[in-house]
Amino acid sequence: MAERPGEFELIERYFRPLASDPGAFGLTDDVAVYVPPPGEDLVLKADQIVAGVHFFAGDPPSAIASKGLRVNLSDLASKGATPVGYLLSMALPDDWNEDWLRDFSAGLAADQALFGVSLFGGDTTRAAGGLTVSIAAFGRVPAGSVIRRAGAAPGDVVFVSGTIGDSALGLRIRLGTLDSMPAGKAADHLLDRYLLPQPRLALAPVLLRFATSSLDVSDGLVGDFAHICRASGVGGEIDADAVPLSAGARALVDSDKSALASVLAGGDDYEILSTVPEADAERFAAEAAEAGVPVTRIGRVVEGKAPPVVLGVNGQPLSLDAASHVHF
Amino acid sequence: MAERPGEFELIERYFRPLASDPGAFGLTDDVAVYVPPPGEDLVLKADQIVAGVHFFAGDPPSAIASKGLRVNLSDLASKGATPVGYLLSMALPDDWNEDWLRDFSAGLAADQALFGVSLFGGDTTRAAGGLTVSIAAFGRVPAGSVIRRAGAAPGDVVFVSGTIGDSALGLRIRLGTLDSMPAGKAADHLLDRYLLPQPRLALAPVLLRFATSSLDVSDGLVGDFAHICRASGVGGEIDADAVPLSAGARALVDSDKSALASVLAGGDDYEILSTVPEADAERFAAEAAEAGVPVTRIGRVVEGKAPPVVLGVNGQPLSLDAASHVHF
């Protein structure tokens, strides 16, 4: 086996080029500095992904890097924040090699360019097992305007961005737990959505203008809507038929009875669920589309303290096997 | 085995009480918010500790928690920053139980009270092996005043806080790699210093007034002084005899020839190494003592680009087996 670089060389070759913000000091100091613009609050988020839990150990390193970063950026965007940077702590298993690390850092570099963020620092250590990628990301938002879970009011319209269920179905394709396995482009789309969430950064400013509550769908559409309802002290309804599906997901839902539960409760969508007053709903949808992130009206906020319900085509409540995807 | 709580219950019971800052929203939202005071910069640091690398898997959970937090606070303090809060990402191996987690969170709670910080968020997932504790900490510093590695000038005096080598010798006691094994109080002190670093927060304001460069000693005294010299474009000398030792470390250095190398290059001291202009040296030492963190003059900054040297009692350079402790 070729000799591998030590920690300092590794930082120099693969991480220093990612420290594009001057406050990161090219990773040559012990800390980084961020100068918050006057009148803005800092928004903080930490999320880690673990081999065998959130990705497969053999997945492309650039995709693992992207997923680790994007799940954090998705959270920031869903609360109205503009991402600024991140700290990366990696626990690397013993079998890493330079090709792997080169591809991993290339994935981060591409996403940094795409999303306008910089690496600000971090830590690389030996793992006590499989790969763990811990990211703490931060962004900024006009003072006092972060969008909370609490804030939804009866009468508000429930919107979701993009399409729902692709990632959960992509995972089921990989695990082989679907009755009929799709193939070709439709399957590729679902697999891609599992590995490469799309943080909806362009929606953040639109959310800031209109949303009464919002979050990104990571625990499952129904479970995350329940989070909003609980925090807001309201009830809610989702029309199952209105939930936007990709062509691949649509085909699976039509052919496999278990697919709908994966769509509604599967998680890892990283789409943005938000509530908007009825009076603003049309403008919100129009401005979201203009921003390049179409949103779909899927339900409504109602009075009450009961958990939200999902209504089938006949207007009757559906029962789901699992209300929320649990990562732990 | 008793049933263990799921992720949400676990957060509710053991982490939510730690989210004392209102910006943490009691961990009931997706992100946290920090409102930076006007005229202050944000200082960021992420450091993780891994079972079998930075601690032993069977160490007391409260001590593991403290070490994970303190190694980060130590970095902030060494750069002149006042710690504010942290994000915690934990990868928990399958054999955790509630007693373990209760003790872990109690360790964090005690340190939060001691150091005036709040948990702002985080993530708990299954580990792909042993326990990994990733912390991203942040603090604040008057705008533009963070203390860098670069800044040391020829003629500056080199100071270090506390005593050096205790942690490295404590680790060697645990590993059984010393010729003569100490016992009793002296050994307890060294073991304690390995597990429970003391972040020197009280020294931060004194450093801000006097230090031309500083960092916390984590890679080893000589290796970390080399970091300062390289960043500052200077050379340096450390007088081995002047390096402050605890009674336990002194006894080991006198009885075991290999102990001095552990002291000078062993790492994990989490004491603060700084350089101060000669004209300020006396006042710096006096104010540090007044702040409760005595510092000792151990060397000087000189002209030149060569790595710093350690001088023995005869004024001749010593050679060390390892210049720097490597965590990876």
Side-chain angles (χ1 to χ4, degrees):
Chain A
M1 194 160 71
E3 204 177 319
R4 299 185 305 192
E7 185 178 5
F8 297 126
E9 290 78 19
L10 185 156
I11 292 169
E12 180 71 26
R13 284 186 211 165
Y14 301 111
F15 295 115
R16 189 173 172 173
L18 301 173
S20 46
D21 191 284
F25 305 134
L27 307 185
T28 60
D29 216 304
D30 304 277
V31 294
V33 168
Y34 175 63
V35 182
E40 302 212 328
D41 290 346
L42 201 77
V43 182
L44 304 157
K45 176 69 191 184
D47 225 342
Q48 71 188 349
I49 60 171
V50 175
V53 182
H54 305 88
F55 59 90
F56 294 77
D59 280 337
S62 63
I64 297 170
S66 285
K67 186 164 189 176
L69 181 56
R70 292 177 180 199
V71 298
N72 282 283
L73 300 185
S74 176
D75 271 300
L76 297 180
S78 75
K79 312 306 273 190
T82 302
V84 172
Y86 65 104
L87 303 163
L88 165 69
S89 291
M90 277 182 88
L92 267 179
D94 286 334
D95 62 352
W96 69 274
N97 60 40
E98 283 212 64
D99 284 346
W100 191 96
L101 212 57
R102 188 176 299 117
D103 190 38
F104 185 89
S105 67
L108 290 175
D111 272 7
Q112 288 193 188
L114 204 54
F115 303 122
V117 297
S118 168
L119 177 64
F120 272 73
D123 189 25
T124 307
T125 57
R126 272 190 288 130
L131 175 67
T132 301
V133 178
S134 298
I135 285 185
F138 63 101
R140 54 196 179 77
V141 80
S145 67
V146 76
I147 308 166
R148 303 285 311 275
R149 288 180 177 181
D156 284 357
V157 179
V158 180
F159 281 98
V160 76
S161 65
T163 57
I164 293 294
D166 296 332
S167 172
L169 294 171
L171 176 59
R172 289 190 63 186
I173 292 174
R174 295 191 67 171
L175 296 173
T177 63
L178 285 166
D179 288 346
S180 65
M181 294 293 283
K185 261 194 178 172
D188 289 347
H189 170 78
L190 301 177
L191 291 169
D192 195 57
R193 291 269 288 167
Y194 169 70
L195 256 186
L196 285 177
Q198 301 295 331
R200 302 303 187 187
L201 269 58
L203 194 59
V206 188
L207 292 165
L208 282 179
R209 278 199 293 284
F210 298 109
T212 53
S213 74
S214 71
L215 47 63
D216 73 329
V217 182
S218 53
D219 293 334
L221 181 68
V222 176
D224 280 320
F225 186 41
H227 291 151
I228 282 182
C229 290
R230 197 177 314 117
S232 301
V234 296
E237 296 169 348
I238 290 176
D239 302 316
D241 212 42
V243 174
L245 302 182
S246 68
R250 168 61 60 200
L252 283 171
V253 166
D254 289 345
S255 68
D256 184 327
K257 284 181 72 171
S258 72
L260 183 62
S262 292
V263 166
L264 295 172
D268 269 349
D269 291 295
Y270 303 104
E271 295 293 350
I272 297 179
L273 182 71
S274 59
T275 59
V276 172
E278 176 68 60
D280 295 330
E282 261 183 63
R283 272 176 63 209
F284 173 67
E287 293 194 22
E290 220 167 287
V293 186
V295 294
T296 303
R297 180 192 282 245
I298 60 166
R300 64 209 66 80
V301 178
V302 299
E303 302 269 358
K305 304 275 180 199
V309 292
V310 180
L311 304 177
V313 278
N314 54 4
Q316 292 300 304
L318 292 178
S319 100
L320 295 170
D321 293 326
S324 170
H325 175 67
V326 172
H327 287 100
F328 180 74
Chain B
M1 193 162 67
E3 203 176 320
R4 300 184 305 192
E7 183 177 6
F8 298 125
E9 290 76 19
L10 184 156
I11 292 169
E12 181 71 26
R13 284 186 213 168
Y14 301 111
F15 295 115
R16 189 172 171 172
L18 302 172
S20 46
D21 190 285
F25 304 134
L27 306 186
T28 60
D29 215 305
D30 305 277
V31 295
V33 168
Y34 175 63
V35 182
E40 301 211 327
D41 291 345
L42 200 78
V43 182
L44 305 156
K45 176 70 190 183
D47 226 341
Q48 73 187 348
I49 60 172
V50 175
V53 182
H54 305 87
F55 60 89
F56 294 76
D59 281 336
S62 63
I64 297 171
S66 286
K67 185 164 188 176
L69 181 56
R70 291 176 180 201
V71 298
N72 282 283
L73 300 185
S74 175
D75 271 300
L76 296 180
S78 75
K79 314 305 274 190
T82 302
V84 172
Y86 65 103
L87 303 164
L88 165 69
S89 290
M90 278 182 87
L92 268 179
D94 285 335
D95 61 352
W96 69 274
N97 60 40
E98 283 212 65
D99 284 345
W100 191 97
L101 212 57
R102 188 177 299 115
D103 190 39
F104 184 90
S105 66
L108 290 176
D111 272 7
Q112 290 193 186
L114 204 53
F115 303 121
V117 297
S118 168
L119 177 64
F120 272 74
D123 189 25
T124 306
T125 56
R126 273 191 288 130
L131 175 66
T132 300
V133 178
S134 299
I135 286 185
F138 63 100
R140 54 195 179 78
V141 79
S145 67
V146 75
I147 308 166
R148 302 286 310 277
R149 290 181 176 180
D156 284 358
V157 178
V158 181
F159 280 97
V160 76
S161 66
T163 57
I164 293 293
D166 295 334
S167 172
L169 294 171
L171 176 59
R172 290 189 62 186
I173 292 174
R174 295 190 69 172
L175 296 173
T177 63
L178 286 166
D179 288 347
S180 65
M181 294 292 284
K185 261 196 179 170
D188 288 347
H189 170 77
L190 301 177
L191 291 168
D192 196 58
R193 290 270 288 167
Y194 170 70
L195 256 186
L196 284 176
Q198 301 295 333
R200 303 304 188 185
L201 270 57
L203 195 58
V206 189
L207 291 166
L208 282 179
R209 278 199 293 285
F210 297 110
T212 53
S213 75
S214 72
L215 48 62
D216 73 329
V217 182
S218 53
D219 292 333
L221 182 67
V222 176
D224 280 320
F225 186 40
H227 291 152
I228 283 183
C229 290
R230 197 178 312 117
S232 301
V234 296
E237 296 169 349
I238 290 176
D239 302 316
D241 212 42
V243 174
L245 302 182
S246 67
R250 167 61 61 200
L252 282 172
V253 166
D254 289 344
S255 69
D256 185 325
K257 284 180 72 170
S258 73
L260 183 62
S262 291
V263 167
L264 295 172
D268 268 348
D269 292 295
Y270 304 105
E271 294 292 351
I272 296 179
L273 181 71
S274 60
T275 59
V276 171
E278 176 67 62
D280 295 330
E282 263 183 61
R283 275 176 61 210
F284 173 67
E287 292 193 24
E290 220 166 285
V293 186
V295 294
T296 304
R297 179 194 283 246
I298 61 165
R300 65 209 66 83
V301 178
V302 300
E303 302 269 359
K305 304 278 178 195
V309 292
V310 180
L311 305 177
V313 278
N314 55 4
Q316 293 299 305
L318 292 177
S319 102
L320 295 170
D321 293 327
S324 170
H325 176 67
V326 173
H327 287 99
F328 180 74

